[in-house]
Amino acid sequence: MRRDEIIKQLKNPDTSELFREADRVRKEQVGDGVHLRGLIEFSNACVRDCLYCGLRRSNRDVKRYQMSIDEIFETVQTAQKLGYRSVVLQSGENCQYPTDAMCGLLSKIKKEFNLAVTLSIGEKTREEYAAFKAAGADRYLLRFETSAEKLFSKLKPDSSYGQRMLCLQWLRELGFQVGSGIMVGLPGQAEEMIADDILLMEKLDLDMIGIGPFIANPQTPLNDAPSGTLDLTLKTLALIRIVTKNTHLPATTAMGSMDPQGREKALQCGANVLMPNVTPTMYREHYQLYPNKICIKDKPGDCWMCISGMVRMLGRVVAEDPGHSLKFSSRLFRGSY
Ligand code: SAH
Ligand code: SF4
């Protein structure tokens, strides 16, 4: 799709045809299977000060926690027992876990369980990424948040767009399955910028793309900013499906937090992945990137039941494989892998 066509669709209030086409492309490219990734939010400590995020270091109203390596391992074991074939280890950016400790954890997980492991722990050095890969990490999620450089610098004052892109390049070179994405409805983000984001996603040839509405957090400097809408987020999701074809696309928690039906709607206009929370209940209320996050009182088993029920209700099936990237064969074909 051309940029002007994407912009036209983003501005079009009538979504029925767009959503139908996205659902068709989803079925054709990735089928009816929905991949479940168990999300473990293992620490909310963060050295960064992103303006939008409740975990930013300047937020003194957060009770900080760090799960121990053993606790993280036990949580992964719970996920495996529940039936997950893949887990995502996510945290704020911090140095509480030395690279050696993380690598020890990763190799133990890979040795004992048959699970695909994704990391989502922010910007690191190339050497650290290489060590995680060598220890067994399969995938890495690092959203670029917005491709509008000025907006990026404003919202992430202690990071740089260039560095974020470099990290994504390193991850690709090191052989990770690479996930990235954006927030939709950021203050100052026009539809034209979202169109550029979508085209950048296509260019980066991402294996996974996670997007969600920006949700204003009262404990941040963006407390007064209007939140993004589910409507625009779903249009963006649908367009990403149509443009990037066989990418893994989650129906995210932020979508479900905006609207009780948010994730169901996303599954019907392009999404093929869900990331149920597996974090021990006692920590969940402290991992609030944004307010009113769903499932913070639930236990890991509750989320499995609820989510697998949701998948069946939609006439879809819980996929039984780990849901690796579908991009490898097309890259091989093009000779770029
Ligand atoms: N620290 C890591 C991973 C945790 S944050 C990182 O920043 O990469 C995971 C994602 O949460 C971010 O990439 C961002 O897109 C999203 N997020 C943070 N604050 C948010 C908010 N207020 N509304 C919606 N999404 C938010
Ligand atoms: Fe930290 Fe990530 Fe939140 Fe930024 S978005 S403050 S890096 S947890």
Side-chain angles (χ1 to χ4, degrees):
M1 271 177 111
R2 289 197 325 261
R3 184 173 184 268
D4 58 331
E5 289 168 335
I6 297 175
I7 296 168
K8 198 170 140 208
Q9 289 296 340
L10 287 168
K11 292 186 175 174
N12 185 356
D14 182 2
T15 53
S16 49
E17 215 170 291
L18 174 68
F19 288 0
R20 214 174 310 120
E21 175 62 6
D23 198 44
R24 189 193 66 75
V25 177
R26 186 271 308 155
K27 198 174 168 71
E28 172 194 282
Q29 296 283 331
V30 298
D32 281 337
V34 176
H35 298 281
L36 305 190
R37 330 277 200 209
L39 177 64
I40 303 173
E41 301 153 334
F42 66 92
S43 170
N44 65 358
C46 192
V47 296
R48 304 235 182 230
D49 225 8
C50 307
L51 260 62
Y52 42 82
C53 177
L55 305 190
R56 64 199 303 268
R57 66 162 188 268
S58 301
N59 184 5
R60 306 255 173 265
D61 295 330
V62 181
K63 187 169 169 263
R64 304 286 169 173
Y65 70 87
Q66 288 143 39
M67 287 169 63
S68 70
I69 292 286
D70 286 347
E71 242 177 322
I72 303 172
F73 183 79
E74 280 157 26
T75 310
V76 172
Q77 188 166 36
T78 305
Q80 147 103 7
K81 281 189 185 148
L82 282 168
Y84 288 100
R85 300 297 319 278
S86 117
V87 289
V88 180
L89 304 182
Q90 190 179 78
S91 71
E93 253 182 68
N94 66 56
C95 314
Q96 313 297 330
Y97 302 85
T99 307
D100 285 356
M102 280 309 284
C103 289
L105 172 68
L106 289 165
S107 8
K108 197 164 160 210
I109 295 172
K110 293 302 286 188
K111 192 165 144 242
E112 307 224 357
F113 310 123
N114 181 19
L115 284 170
V117 180
T118 305
L119 291 176
S120 175
I121 57 177
E123 293 171 33
K124 302 278 174 189
T125 63
R126 196 181 200 281
E127 289 68 34
E128 285 168 306
Y129 287 146
F132 298 149
K133 187 75 186 57
D138 302 278
R139 310 173 182 156
Y140 206 101
L141 292 179
L142 187 74
R143 291 184 178 179
F144 60 79
E145 317 293 2
T146 170
S147 63
E149 273 196 64
K150 272 196 193 140
L151 184 59
F152 182 99
S153 308
K154 221 158 123 187
L155 298 176
K156 278 179 88 64
D158 42 20
S159 177
S160 84
Y161 183 73
Q163 187 62 30
R164 202 84 175 167
M165 284 298 138
L166 191 58
C167 287
L168 287 170
Q169 186 190 318
W170 288 336
L171 291 164
R172 169 69 76 224
E173 287 166 3
L174 290 163
F176 282 94
Q177 295 173 47
V178 181
S180 193
I182 60 165
M183 279 173 283
V184 176
L186 287 164
Q189 183 191 47
E191 279 88 348
E192 286 73 8
M193 296 175 180
I194 299 177
D196 290 335
D197 295 339
I198 296 174
L199 292 172
L200 177 62
M201 290 166 184
E202 183 186 24
K203 188 168 150 219
L204 291 173
D205 194 26
L206 298 163
D207 302 289
M208 319 168 270
I209 299 170
I211 68 162
F214 157 68
I215 305 177
N217 189 325
Q219 295 178 348
T220 67
L222 296 180
N223 59 332
D224 281 338
S227 293
T229 62
L230 183 65
D231 183 61
L232 185 58
T233 309
L234 294 179
K235 282 195 256 186
T236 306
L237 172 74
L239 287 161
I240 294 172
R241 170 58 72 206
I242 294 167
V243 170
T244 72
K245 302 195 171 64
N246 60 351
T247 318
H248 286 308
L249 302 181
T252 53
T253 309
M255 295 173 183
S257 300
M258 277 246 115
D259 172 339
Q261 297 292 308
R263 289 176 299 176
E264 283 92 331
K265 290 178 184 169
L267 286 169
Q268 292 170 291
C269 66
N272 71 321
V273 173
L274 283 161
M275 296 167 69
N277 204 330
V278 199
T279 312
T281 315
M282 62 189 283
Y283 297 120
R284 293 188 185 196
E285 64 173 303
H286 306 300
Y287 198 90
Q288 298 215 45
L289 310 161
Y290 47 80
N292 304 321
K293 192 175 150 200
I294 47 172
C295 313
I296 58 171
K297 299 247 181 308
D298 295 336
K299 294 194 272 305
D302 301 337
C303 293
W304 171 272
M305 295 289 284
C306 156
I307 293 269
S308 46
M310 180 196 296
V311 170
R312 280 193 301 273
M313 285 284 288
L314 294 173
R316 307 270 281 277
V317 288
V318 173
E320 288 179 4
D321 64 287
H324 285 301
S325 175
L326 299 166
K327 300 271 176 180
F328 294 126
S329 48
S330 44
R331 268 180 219 139
L332 265 177
F333 185 69
R334 288 200 312 271
S336 60
Y337 190 70

